[in-house]
Amino acid sequence: MINKYKKYKTRVGHDVTIYEVYTEGEHPVHGAYFFDGAWTLEAWTSDGYTMAGTENENDIFEAEIIDGSLVARLRAEEINEFAAHPEGLLAEAAARIEQLEQALQAMLHAVCSPTGFAAAVRTDSGKAYPWVTLEYAEQMARAALGEKKDG
């Protein structure tokens, strides 16, 4: 049950203010969440969902202070779901990591390869720009991928 005197965050970490919690209606919790510099009005079910039975990024979780930072507390059913089926969530996480690695490899090639964007700018301009931040980002990307720079 949502309590207007407690702190909440959305599923994606936005701050929430609860204006009122009514005793009746499909969405008895009225409030707003802070996103992109503005407050957006929202209504939730009594257990914090924007739509009953459907997960949404604007669902709310009770937040607690841990080491000075607010952390959203998972709902009991989500913890139970993970405990019952950890292999599914782990497989989903592994697939997402693989997608991110492929995207990082493609971006690294497009920007930092001998035929990439950085080389084209240097060639076309006739100047060897000292892109320290690009070189640092390249090192981090290659380290994350377990690659070494050729040459």
Side-chain angles (χ1 to χ4, degrees):
M1 181 74 167
I2 304 297
N3 178 327
K4 77 177 194 175
Y5 300 105
K6 292 184 177 181
K7 292 198 176 285
Y8 294 90
K9 285 198 172 277
T10 64
R11 185 177 296 279
V12 294
H14 302 304
D15 291 326
V16 172
T17 294
I18 303 298
Y19 299 134
E20 192 61 59
V21 178
Y22 298 97
T23 56
E24 297 179 4
E26 191 174 333
H27 292 88
V29 180
H30 294 200
Y33 61 91
F34 193 75
F35 173 69
D36 204 20
W39 288 96
T40 301
L41 294 175
E42 185 65 83
W44 296 274
T45 63
S46 59
D47 55 357
Y49 291 97
T50 56
M51 295 179 282
T54 305
E55 287 187 5
N56 182 288
E57 66 182 18
N58 296 324
D59 296 340
I60 58 175
F61 296 87
E62 186 176 340
E64 58 186 28
I65 298 177
I66 299 176
D67 295 331
S69 62
L70 283 173
V71 177
R73 191 182 309 161
L74 291 175
R75 288 193 179 90
E77 65 263 20
E78 290 176 326
I79 293 170
N80 291 338
E81 176 67 21
F82 178 74
H85 306 287
E87 66 285 345
L89 292 173
L90 293 174
E92 186 178 314
R96 184 73 177 129
I97 289 169
E98 186 174 335
Q99 288 176 330
L100 290 169
E101 286 176 343
Q102 290 172 358
L104 185 57
Q105 286 171 338
M107 185 175 288
L108 192 59
H109 178 75
V111 175
C112 298
S113 73
T115 58
F117 173 77
V121 169
R122 288 176 173 149
T123 300
D124 289 349
S125 70
K127 298 178 182 175
Y129 288 102
W131 287 338
V132 175
T133 54
L134 177 62
E135 290 166 0
Y136 178 70
E138 180 183 7
Q139 287 175 350
M140 289 178 58
R142 290 189 186 284
L145 293 169
E147 296 179 2
K148 291 194 179 353
K149 185 174 180 175
D150 295 332

